[in-house]
Amino acid sequence: MHTVHAHLRGWMERAGMSVSVDHVGNLRGLYPSARSSSKRLFIGSHLDTVPRAGAFDGILGVVLGVALIERLEGRRLPFGIEVVGFSEEEGVRFGVPFIGSRALIGDVDNQLLTMISEAVTAFGLDPKRVSEAQAGDNALGYLEFHIEQGPVLENLNLPLGIVETISGQSRFDVLFEGHANHAGTTPMNLRRDALAGAAEWINTVECKTRATAGAVATVGRLSVFPGATNVIPSSASASLDIRHANDDVRRDLVKRLLQCAEKIASARCLTVSWKQHLDQAAVAMDPRFVQMLERAVASTGCPVHRMSSGAGHDAMIVARRLPAAMLFLRSPGGISHHPDESVLAEDVAAALDVGMAFLRELERRHA
Amino acid sequence: MHTVHAHLRGWMERAGMSVSVDHVGNLRGLYPSARSSSKRLFIGSHLDTVPRAGAFDGILGVVLGVALIERLEGRRLPFGIEVVGFSEEEGVRFGVPFIGSRALIGDVDNQLLTMISEAVTAFGLDPKRVSEAQAGDNALGYLEFHIEQGPVLENLNLPLGIVETISGQSRFDVLFEGHANHAGTTPMNLRRDALAGAAEWINTVECKTRATAGAVATVGRLSVFPGATNVIPSSASASLDIRHANDDVRRDLVKRLLQCAEKIASARCLTVSWKQHLDQAAVAMDPRFVQMLERAVASTGCPVHRMSSGAGHDAMIVARRLPAAMLFLRSPGGISHHPDESVLAEDVAAALDVGMAFLRELERRHA
């Protein structure tokens, strides 16, 4: 991360920015306003990604911020621009995501601070000064460029998408329990096969979610016990991840899927129980910023497409305090968190044009 | 096992048997014939069971053999009876089942001999003399009492069942492969979810097997990769265990289930592949012995019920060389390989009566 910071610092300084690293490890490059005490627009994304990942997740949004400043060629705007490269968005190191953006909105509590304290110190920073990372009252808003990390734009043959909502999310562990028995000696009609019940439910999850526009539901994990070829499974524990841009739709779907689990279990003389791990509300992007992004996209001649983000992003955190907006760039093959992750050069050029148009409108508003 | 041998040896000797341990570790008690050089009936089952098991699997059949000899009260028959407590039926120690009964029919090859050699020596026996365990040409046949280890007899409210066939068995690993993707960003219609495909197939396996009289099929193991809550599974590997008393029916069912896997995979843009691990033919018990057992059961006033065994037993091995028959005793709750495994005292008494009737008919035949 020190090496990444050094690279970006060089680019930022050459573009006329003054650079610092705040005490949660965010790299921050300030391109000053034409006025002495004025508003400040944040443009950013994260610098970390997952292990064995690609080259564009997160960091593309930071580099695009720097590129926009380069495009200004030294011309000052009526507001400052601070490009932020957030630390620890993925949650890989501490199991807690969005630490850098949480610090920007002043949301690092003592528990989190204690958790990261040693790492902050080891990085050469001061955990006591993490709170200084907080954005001031002069913050105008937040703009994030990010690869889509999904196949939607590519499927629609579109380079860019305007995020209007980051989907809410529910997570559960759902446990089916039956009775282990000998695979050879127990007739089909006398079985209480937990895996057969879980399998029926997994198909129901898929079917009911397909029938719910905009919803996604995933069983990504399934553990079967005792897990022997010749033993009828006594239990099957499934994860369930459900997302939708509309919280009511999501919660209604969750309710229906859990009712199905109960019905399936009961018909098979199984029991089913669940534990909820997450009920995260959808986060709307700022309507005015979204409209500005829309106009900016339209001004470049690119088709306007609003969409929701099924994944969480720093913008979701920053939106709690500042007007926030996100622009998605098409992900070839929908691939992300993988070495094959990529982005098309022409889409990056289009995103830069949109960014410039966005800045021009903001400039007119603050003229 | 030495302690078990010592106990049984005491009971055997008190019943008038001469006792030895052959060099594969089978305990053998011979109750001599009234004639000097005559036929010999084997009665036996295994003395080992699985870890954390119950008290009746296998050993009940040995104890019943000894109890039958006790009932003779010293009266000699026109044939000898050798009660055998087989070693290593379960395959727990070497991963190879039926070692004791294989030795009785002279089926211990050099590979198996090498595998068990050290353990045989450690037990105080001589691996070079394992072949001496083989039954001689005077062998008349083999009778095995065993708990059913399944719920069929209890469900029919019957104490005893006459095994006419030991089911054949196929085992496969079936691998569904799709494409891992982000659970939040990949719409339902653009997924290639390996687990969803496997789940659909597991339900089809259940459904088609239910529709095939006498068949059982089990998916006991299912491994899902990468196995993260928020990642669409890229692969799901399932075990498949299929059994039927009729080999043609079994192989036809196998064929249909694998065709279904291909159809499901193709409709979901998944691939499916499989590897067969076992194709074990059904083993018929000796028709004459089965009829004798039937008459013996009928003579005690107990309802006659023929059935197939879904599990393998020593009788399946011995049947390759000798006329063999098995009598099942009802398993309360269908429970076996579990501390709750049990047997009803009145069923044991009924089995003893049947054993005595069987010996009486054999006596008449050899008078």
Side-chain angles (χ1 to χ4, degrees):
Chain A
M1 192 51 80
H2 279 299
T3 313
V4 173
H5 280 186
H7 273 291
L8 283 167
R9 177 187 288 270
W11 295 347
M12 284 172 160
E13 286 176 346
R14 278 195 291 281
M17 304 165 84
S18 57
V19 183
S20 61
V21 176
D22 68 25
H23 290 279
V24 80
N26 297 326
L27 180 73
R28 305 172 70 148
L30 178 62
Y31 184 75
S33 162
R35 305 175 189 167
S36 60
S37 100
S38 69
K39 294 285 183 186
R40 184 178 299 181
L41 175 70
F42 288 90
I43 300 177
S45 194
H46 55 101
L47 294 177
D48 64 315
T49 182
V50 297
R52 290 172 294 284
F56 299 96
D57 173 29
I59 197 161
L60 177 71
V62 185
V63 172
L64 270 167
V66 178
L68 280 173
I69 304 298
E70 284 176 350
R71 281 255 190 128
L72 291 175
E73 294 177 329
R75 189 171 66 81
R76 299 293 165 90
L77 305 180
F79 50 87
I81 300 177
E82 190 168 338
V83 176
V84 191
F86 288 118
S87 64
E88 289 298 318
E89 188 261 2
E90 298 285 359
V92 170
R93 182 157 186 186
F94 302 100
V96 178
F98 309 119
I99 298 176
S101 44
R102 280 177 64 178
L104 188 78
I105 64 159
D107 180 36
V108 175
D109 55 29
N110 280 332
Q111 192 189 353
L112 179 55
L113 193 58
T114 306
M115 190 185 278
I116 64 174
S117 190
E118 195 180 318
V120 166
T121 306
F123 197 73
L125 302 168
D126 183 356
K128 285 191 206 72
R129 296 178 63 192
V130 163
S131 62
E132 294 172 19
Q134 198 173 340
D137 292 335
N138 61 340
L140 195 61
Y142 173 78
L143 179 63
E144 181 167 358
F145 300 90
H146 204 284
I147 54 170
E148 183 202 339
Q149 304 185 280
V152 173
L153 289 173
E154 184 177 71
N155 238 262
L156 296 170
N157 201 24
L158 293 173
L160 303 174
I162 300 153
V163 177
E164 53 178 357
T165 317
I166 294 177
S167 292
Q169 199 181 137
S170 305
R171 286 195 188 178
F172 288 84
D173 277 332
V174 179
L175 175 67
F176 289 86
E177 289 177 293
H179 195 75
N181 236 321
H182 194 295
T185 62
T186 315
M188 297 306 284
N189 64 330
L190 296 177
R191 295 176 170 218
R192 291 165 54 200
D193 182 334
L195 175 56
E200 184 181 345
W201 179 68
I202 288 169
N203 285 331
T204 306
V205 166
E206 187 187 41
C207 179
K208 295 220 175 288
T209 305
R210 274 175 191 272
T212 307
V216 287
T218 307
V219 176
R221 205 166 29 69
L222 185 68
S223 307
V224 180
F225 299 92
T229 303
N230 60 345
V231 180
I232 298 163
S234 59
S235 78
S237 166
S239 66
L240 177 66
D241 175 314
I242 299 181
R243 309 191 195 197
H244 198 279
N246 181 309
D247 291 335
D248 291 338
V249 174
R250 172 173 52 89
R251 292 193 184 118
D252 176 65
L253 178 58
V254 163
K255 203 174 127 190
R256 285 184 292 130
L257 295 182
L258 294 176
Q259 278 168 350
C260 286
E262 275 179 331
K263 225 156 119 184
I264 289 165
S266 148
R268 290 173 168 276
C269 297
L270 306 173
T271 60
V272 65
S273 56
W274 52 79
K275 208 176 146 185
Q276 179 150 16
H277 294 295
L278 191 68
D279 177 12
Q280 184 180 281
V283 175
M285 296 292 96
D286 179 71
R288 199 175 55 99
F289 263 41
V290 169
Q291 280 166 16
M292 282 170 61
L293 259 187
E294 232 174 41
R295 282 191 293 271
V297 169
S299 75
T300 66
C302 177
V304 167
H305 179 70
R306 286 191 182 214
M307 63 192 295
S308 60
S309 168
H313 291 287
D314 290 305
M316 179 178 84
I317 303 299
V318 179
R320 290 190 210 150
R321 240 205 71 195
L322 305 182
M326 279 193 89
L327 190 72
F328 271 172
L329 286 80
R330 159 169 53 189
S331 284
I335 296 164
S336 184
H337 285 182
H338 188 279
D340 292 343
E341 177 181 278
S342 72
V343 75
L344 301 177
E346 60 261 38
D347 295 354
V348 176
L352 261 176
D353 290 344
V354 169
M356 286 306 290
F358 184 91
L359 291 182
R360 275 194 301 272
E361 177 167 347
L362 211 57
E363 192 179 357
R364 280 195 299 277
R365 285 171 176 267
H366 288 82
Chain B
M1 192 52 80
H2 278 300
T3 312
V4 172
H5 280 185
H7 273 291
L8 283 168
R9 177 185 287 269
W11 296 346
M12 285 172 160
E13 287 176 345
R14 275 192 293 280
M17 305 165 84
S18 59
V19 183
S20 61
V21 176
D22 67 25
H23 290 278
V24 81
N26 297 326
L27 180 74
R28 304 171 71 147
L30 176 63
Y31 184 75
S33 161
R35 305 173 187 168
S36 58
S37 97
S38 69
K39 295 284 184 186
R40 184 179 298 181
L41 175 71
F42 288 90
I43 300 178
S45 192
H46 55 100
L47 294 178
D48 62 315
T49 183
V50 297
R52 290 172 295 282
F56 300 95
D57 173 30
I59 198 162
L60 177 70
V62 185
V63 171
L64 270 167
V66 179
L68 281 173
I69 305 298
E70 283 177 351
R71 280 253 191 131
L72 292 174
E73 294 177 329
R75 189 171 66 81
R76 299 294 164 91
L77 305 180
F79 48 87
I81 299 177
E82 189 168 337
V83 175
V84 190
F86 288 117
S87 64
E88 289 298 318
E89 188 261 2
E90 298 285 358
V92 170
R93 183 157 186 186
F94 303 98
V96 177
F98 308 119
I99 298 176
S101 43
R102 281 177 64 178
L104 188 78
I105 63 160
D107 180 36
V108 174
D109 55 27
N110 281 331
Q111 192 189 355
L112 178 56
L113 192 58
T114 307
M115 189 185 277
I116 65 173
S117 190
E118 196 182 318
V120 166
T121 307
F123 197 73
L125 303 168
D126 183 355
K128 285 192 207 72
R129 298 178 63 192
V130 162
S131 63
E132 294 172 19
Q134 198 174 338
D137 292 333
N138 61 339
L140 192 62
Y142 174 77
L143 178 62
E144 181 168 357
F145 299 89
H146 204 287
I147 54 169
E148 182 201 338
Q149 303 185 280
V152 173
L153 290 172
E154 184 177 72
N155 239 261
L156 295 170
N157 201 25
L158 293 174
L160 303 174
I162 300 153
V163 177
E164 54 178 356
T165 318
I166 293 177
S167 293
Q169 200 181 134
S170 303
R171 286 195 189 177
F172 288 84
D173 276 332
V174 179
L175 175 66
F176 289 85
E177 288 178 291
H179 194 76
N181 236 322
H182 194 294
T185 62
T186 315
M188 297 306 284
N189 62 331
L190 296 176
R191 294 175 172 217
R192 291 166 55 201
D193 183 335
L195 175 56
E200 185 181 345
W201 180 68
I202 289 168
N203 285 331
T204 306
V205 166
E206 188 187 40
C207 179
K208 295 221 175 288
T209 306
R210 274 175 190 272
T212 307
V216 288
T218 308
V219 177
R221 207 168 25 71
L222 184 69
S223 306
V224 180
F225 298 92
T229 303
N230 59 345
V231 180
I232 297 163
S234 59
S235 79
S237 166
S239 66
L240 177 64
D241 176 314
I242 300 181
R243 310 191 194 197
H244 198 278
N246 181 310
D247 291 334
D248 291 338
V249 174
R250 172 172 53 89
R251 292 194 183 117
D252 176 66
L253 178 59
V254 164
K255 204 175 126 190
R256 286 185 289 131
L257 295 182
L258 294 176
Q259 279 169 351
C260 285
E262 275 179 330
K263 223 156 118 184
I264 289 166
S266 149
R268 291 172 168 275
C269 296
L270 306 173
T271 60
V272 66
S273 56
W274 54 77
K275 209 178 146 184
Q276 179 151 17
H277 294 296
L278 190 69
D279 177 12
Q280 183 180 281
V283 175
M285 297 293 96
D286 180 70
R288 201 176 53 98
F289 263 41
V290 168
Q291 280 166 16
M292 282 170 62
L293 258 188
E294 232 174 42
R295 281 191 293 272
V297 169
S299 76
T300 66
C302 178
V304 168
H305 179 71
R306 285 190 183 216
M307 63 191 296
S308 60
S309 169
H313 291 288
D314 290 305
M316 177 177 87
I317 303 299
V318 179
R320 291 188 208 151
R321 240 205 74 195
L322 305 182
M326 279 193 89
L327 189 72
F328 272 172
L329 287 79
R330 160 170 50 191
S331 284
I335 297 165
S336 184
H337 286 184
H338 188 279
D340 292 343
E341 176 181 280
S342 70
V343 75
L344 302 177
E346 61 261 39
D347 295 354
V348 176
L352 260 177
D353 289 344
V354 169
M356 286 306 290
F358 184 91
L359 291 181
R360 274 194 301 271
E361 177 166 348
L362 211 57
E363 192 180 357
R364 280 194 301 275
R365 285 170 176 266
H366 288 81

